[in-house]
């Protein structure tokens, strides 16, 4: 392991891990904590490495496990990083935001390439289980799951490219506005 890692400096490995973890954990301090945890786990478990000439997959598996552990720890957290004076949106405003996003999603789904569009329409809009959707289309269950996953990713990328989404740390959507427009004024302004 050490010989394979010597080909790349530890700072290169750390930078790659920081990018990998950063795509899954947005908070920089949490990201750095998880990266440090991964590096400690790697050093503590070097004896378990089966392919010392190619440690990458092993290190990324440790990173994925550390990310899952992080989300499990923070999921039960009752404290919110939002300030106390941050009011929750009113119910009417919340419904308007969700309706606006739903309208965007229908348009963006129609623009997806064919196999992904059909997969999302069947599973997400019509509510079919993956098994029923794969039987209807005539593909394997694995292929349907892959199409749904890739379709969701394409849809997410399309939505983020055209809209500015404000999401609470708990995952609740509080605002959506087309990019380029100024954010909606707060109720206090």
């Amino acid at each position: 392991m050490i010989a394979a890692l010597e080909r790349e400096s530890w700072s290169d490995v750390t930078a790659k891990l920081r990018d990998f973890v950063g795509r899954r954990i947005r908070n920089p301090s949490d990201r750095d904590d998880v990266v440090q945890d991964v590096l400690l786990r790697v050093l503590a478990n070097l004896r378990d490495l089966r392919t010392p000439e190619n440690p990458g997959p092993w290190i990324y598996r440790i990173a994925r496990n550390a990310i899952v552990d992080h989300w499990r720890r923070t999921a039960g957290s009752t404290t919110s990083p939002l300030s106390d004076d941050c009011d929750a949106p009113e119910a009417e405003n919340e419904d308007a935001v969700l309706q606006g996003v739903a309208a965007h999603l229908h348009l963006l789904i129609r623009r997806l390439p064919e196999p992904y569009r059909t997969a999302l329409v069947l599973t997400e809009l019509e509510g079919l289980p993956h098994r029923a959707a794969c039987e209807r289309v005539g593909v394997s269950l694995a292929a349907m799951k892959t199409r749904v996953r890739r379709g969701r990713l394409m849809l997410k990328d399309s939505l983020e490219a055209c809209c500015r989404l404000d999401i609470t740390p708990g995952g609740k959507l509080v605002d959506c506005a087309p990019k380029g427009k100024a954010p909606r004024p707060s109720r206090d302004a």
Side-chain angles (χ1 to χ4, degrees), residues 11-12 26 37 42 53 65-66 79-80 99-100 118 147 155 164 178 180-181:
S11 60
D12 290 341
R26 300 284 186 214
D37 183 38
V42 166
E53 64 281 350
N65 291 339
T79 59
S80 173
Q99 288 174 357
T118 300
R147 289 177 180 184
L155 188 61
R164 182 188 48 79
K181 285 191 175 181

Side-chain angles (χ1 to χ4, degrees), residues 1 14 23 33 43-45 57 64 69 71 76 87 90 92 105 107 132 158 163 169 177 180 183:
M1 163 86 179
T14 303
R23 288 191 299 271
D33 289 345
L43 290 174
N45 295 297
R64 283 189 295 276
D69 291 345
W71 286 118
D87 293 329
E90 296 175 15
E92 302 90 24
L105 288 177
L107 176 66
S158 297
C163 298

